[in-house]
Amino acid sequence: MTQVQTSAPPIRILVAKPGLDGHDRGAKVIARALRDAGFEVIYTGLRQTPEQIANAAVQEDVAVVALSILSGAHMTLVPRVIELLRAQEAGDIMVLVGGTIPDADIPKLKEAGVAEVFGPGTDTRDVVKYLRTQLSARA
């Protein structure tokens, strides 16, 4: 009798650009790197509201929401996304933030529920390594 090996389905990650920020190069770079690393990536596109992001995360049954923000509105938009996820009983979804985030704001974002913040110039391999480490620890 032959044993069939089953592999776990790929981890689903939502990459989103909240607010009015119209620059999505970084979001596309990270989405491609995550896809190349074997994750299933859903990219929502530009100018998403926190409500749209939280709803998409729940509908797509993702494990991670990766928010890319360059607009400076991170202290408003990110906590709102987390609040909306928790309101939909999806507070276990890991939230990551990437972009131009002042160092002084990082502890506040983490207090609000952000797992990690990645600044400009972060090597995409470091993001992949972080996700693999953190998600395997959750399993």
Side-chain angles (χ1 to χ4, degrees):
M1 186 185 274
T2 327
Q3 280 199 291
V4 177
Q5 289 211 359
T6 58
S7 61
I11 295 167
R12 296 171 60 87
I13 300 175
L14 183 85
V15 176
K17 291 287 300 177
L20 300 177
D21 179 3
H23 302 281
D24 66 347
R25 181 171 172 229
K28 288 179 177 177
V29 167
I30 196 64
R32 177 61 164 254
L34 294 172
R35 202 171 279 133
D36 289 350
F39 296 98
E40 184 175 340
V41 178
I42 299 100
Y43 175 53
T44 62
L46 292 168
R47 299 179 183 94
Q48 299 293 297
T49 66
E51 290 78 9
Q52 289 170 316
I53 293 166
N55 289 339
V58 170
Q59 288 172 2
E60 294 289 349
D61 192 28
V62 300
V64 179
V65 171
L67 301 171
S68 173
I69 303 178
L70 301 171
S71 66
H74 52 277
M75 294 307 297
T76 302
L77 296 171
V78 174
R80 181 70 178 141
V81 169
I82 293 168
E83 175 186 314
L84 291 164
L85 288 171
R86 289 176 178 159
Q88 294 186 55
E89 297 182 11
D92 60 330
I93 294 175
M94 180 188 298
V95 176
L96 304 177
V97 177
T100 51
I101 309 298
D103 290 343
D105 290 345
I106 294 172
K108 296 173 199 163
L109 289 171
K110 288 186 174 184
E111 283 177 29
V114 171
E116 191 59 79
V117 177
F118 298 96
T122 298
D123 190 317
T124 57
R125 292 172 292 195
D126 292 338
V127 178
V128 169
K129 182 179 177 182
Y130 175 84
L131 282 169
R132 286 194 172 133
T133 301
Q134 295 302 313
L135 293 170
S136 68
R138 285 182 166 199

